[in-house]
């Protein structure tokens, strides 16, 4: 068996690909290079920190329908789906609120403030809620290859972009090769019945939990990686409560979710964190996951057992 791995910075975080299989090393290195090129192409198209990126051009375009590449069209569909399946909790159209909170420039090179101090000074905890206009519902992809949305609606790629890039790259891995493709907290895995995964502690060192995951996607959404203080001293982070337009403080600092692919895992993890502990347990019940609470507790949720009902014998 041959094993190759490579890591590189992208999308404001570290990405990596790990490949293992009965293939020549040169072949796996070529696959790794293709994976990296795919991720980098998605990163260039979906960044909101480069005015020349395709996403920024879409956001600035006054037309209701804008020609778009397959990557951006797929992102737009993922953004609408995320809003629909989370009843508005994961809303990629709330870019204005995110920038107003202080996340208008890349966090690359910035050191996040200490989590403990931010939690001490954060406002009262409460679950997030949907924004009443639900602008994500207007996102469409036309048969002519355009992205359609009301002019003025701007999109933030965020974790959705990372999950999408991981899924696009995973589709290029040959059958029979075990792989893990990580982009920050978003992970696409496959090629083996189950693979071990370690979940890091939010805002600290060490491992919160280690478990095995099936092929598909895993994502961790947390407040600690992009955490800052506003000019008045109030703590802020990048997970916005769509209803209030402010950073969400729900009692959870990180959530890890398992799903059928990386985009679905990203959406599930973020929705669970925004919903707060009680609703998060319900959201993660089917496939399991990990909740990290503000007080340091780590809550492991096991997947619901599969109940098989025996078929009745034919009369």
């Amino acid at each position: 068996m041959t094993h190759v791995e490579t890591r590189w910075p992208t999308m404001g975080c570290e990405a990596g690909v790990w490949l293992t299989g009965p293939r020549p090393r040169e072949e796996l290195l070529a696959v790794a290079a293709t994976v990296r090129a795919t991720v980098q192409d998605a990163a260039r198209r979906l960044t909101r920190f480069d005015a020349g990126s395709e996403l920024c051009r879409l956001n600035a375009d006054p037309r209701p329908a804008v020609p778009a590449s397959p990557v951006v069209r797929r992102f737009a569909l993922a953004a609408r789906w995320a809003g629909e399946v989370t009843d508005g909790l994961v809303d990629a159209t709330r870019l204005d609120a995110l920038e107003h909170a202080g996340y208008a420039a890349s966090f690359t090179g910035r050191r996040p403030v200490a989590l403990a101090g931010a939690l001490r000074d954060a406002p009262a905890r409460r679950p997030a809620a949907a924004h009443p206009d639900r602008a994500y519902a207007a996102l469409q992809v036309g048969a002519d290859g355009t992205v359609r949305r009301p002019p003025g609606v701007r999109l933030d790629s965020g974790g959705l972009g990372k999950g999408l890039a991981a899924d696009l790259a995973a589709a290029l891995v040959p059958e029979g090769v075990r792989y893990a493709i990580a982009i920050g907290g978003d992970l696409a895995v496959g090629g083996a019945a189950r693979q071990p995964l370690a979940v890091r502690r939010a805002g600290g060192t060490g491992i919160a939990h280690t478990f095995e995951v099936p092929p598909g996607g895993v994502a961790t959404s947390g407040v600690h990686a992009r955490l800052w203080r506003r000019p008045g001293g109030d703590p802020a982070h990048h997970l916005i409560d769509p209803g209030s337009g402010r950073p969400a403080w729900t009692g959870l600092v990180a959530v890890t979710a398992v799903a059928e692919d990386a985009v679905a895992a990203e959406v599930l993890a973020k929705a669970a964190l925004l919903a707060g502990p009680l609703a998060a347990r319900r959201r993660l019940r089917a496939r399991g996951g990990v909740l990290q609470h503000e007080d340091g507790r780590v809550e492991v949720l096991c997947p619901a057992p599969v109940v098989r009902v025996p078929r009745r014998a034919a009369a």
Side-chain angles (χ1 to χ4, degrees):
M1 298 292 281
T2 306
H3 175 76
V4 301
E5 65 177 82
T6 183
R7 306 182 192 212
W8 69 96
T10 190
M11 293 184 166
C13 60
E14 182 181 75
V17 54
W18 294 262
L19 303 171
T20 302
R23 305 290 182 98
R25 180 174 177 81
E26 293 74 16
E27 183 176 339
L28 290 188
L29 286 172
V31 173
T34 301
V35 164
R36 178 170 178 169
T38 300
V39 171
Q40 290 303 95
D41 177 68
R44 286 190 294 269
R45 293 180 185 279
L46 295 176
T47 180
R48 64 180 177 89
F49 303 124
D50 177 1
S53 76
E54 190 176 355
L55 180 64
C56 285
R57 296 198 307 271
L58 170 66
N59 284 341
D61 200 306
R63 294 174 293 175
V66 181
S69 68
V71 171
V72 172
R73 297 200 301 267
R74 185 163 167 177
F75 165 69
L77 291 175
R80 187 182 70 189
W81 176 81
E84 291 172 346
V85 299
T86 65
D87 196 25
L89 279 187
V90 179
D91 190 343
T93 70
R94 305 261 62 89
L95 179 53
D96 288 348
L98 182 60
E99 291 179 341
H100 181 73
Y103 195 15
S106 172
F107 217 80
T108 302
R110 293 173 59 185
R111 188 172 182 176
V113 303
L115 178 60
L119 293 175
R120 180 193 63 226
D121 299 335
R125 281 42 168 179
R126 67 177 188 180
H131 191 278
D133 72 6
R134 298 180 184 265
Y136 59 82
L139 291 171
Q140 296 180 351
V141 171
D144 56 354
T146 60
V147 170
R148 302 171 183 269
R149 80 283 180 262
V153 170
R154 298 191 302 146
L155 303 177
D156 171 43
S157 56
L160 273 178
K162 296 179 177 67
L164 174 58
D167 286 336
L168 290 171
L172 304 175
V173 179
E175 187 176 352
V177 175
R178 188 175 68 189
Y179 65 87
I181 301 168
I183 307 174
D186 293 80
L187 186 71
V189 296
R194 303 187 76 82
Q195 297 195 53
L197 176 71
V199 178
R200 296 177 180 174
R201 283 196 172 272
T205 58
I207 302 300
H209 181 64
T210 301
F211 63 131
E212 292 189 335
V213 295
V218 186
T220 297
S221 185
V223 306
H224 55 289
R226 289 168 177 80
L227 187 59
W228 64 91
R229 287 189 182 271
R230 304 181 71 179
D234 295 335
H237 59 79
H238 67 300
L239 300 180
I240 297 297
D241 175 348
S244 70
R246 296 186 292 271
W249 302 96
T250 67
L252 294 171
V253 293
V255 171
T256 300
V258 181
E260 60 271 21
D261 57 35
V263 165
E266 162 67 26
V267 171
L268 183 56
K270 184 173 292 183
L273 189 147
L274 291 172
L278 183 60
R281 296 185 188 103
R282 294 197 298 267
R283 288 178 178 270
L284 300 185
R285 183 178 299 152
R287 291 177 176 261
V290 180
L291 307 181
Q292 297 190 53
H293 296 261
E294 289 187 357
D295 59 6
R297 286 182 298 121
V298 176
E299 185 177 353
V300 178
L301 305 172
C302 297
V306 177
V307 178
R308 301 188 184 279
V309 179
R311 292 184 179 181
R312 297 180 59 184

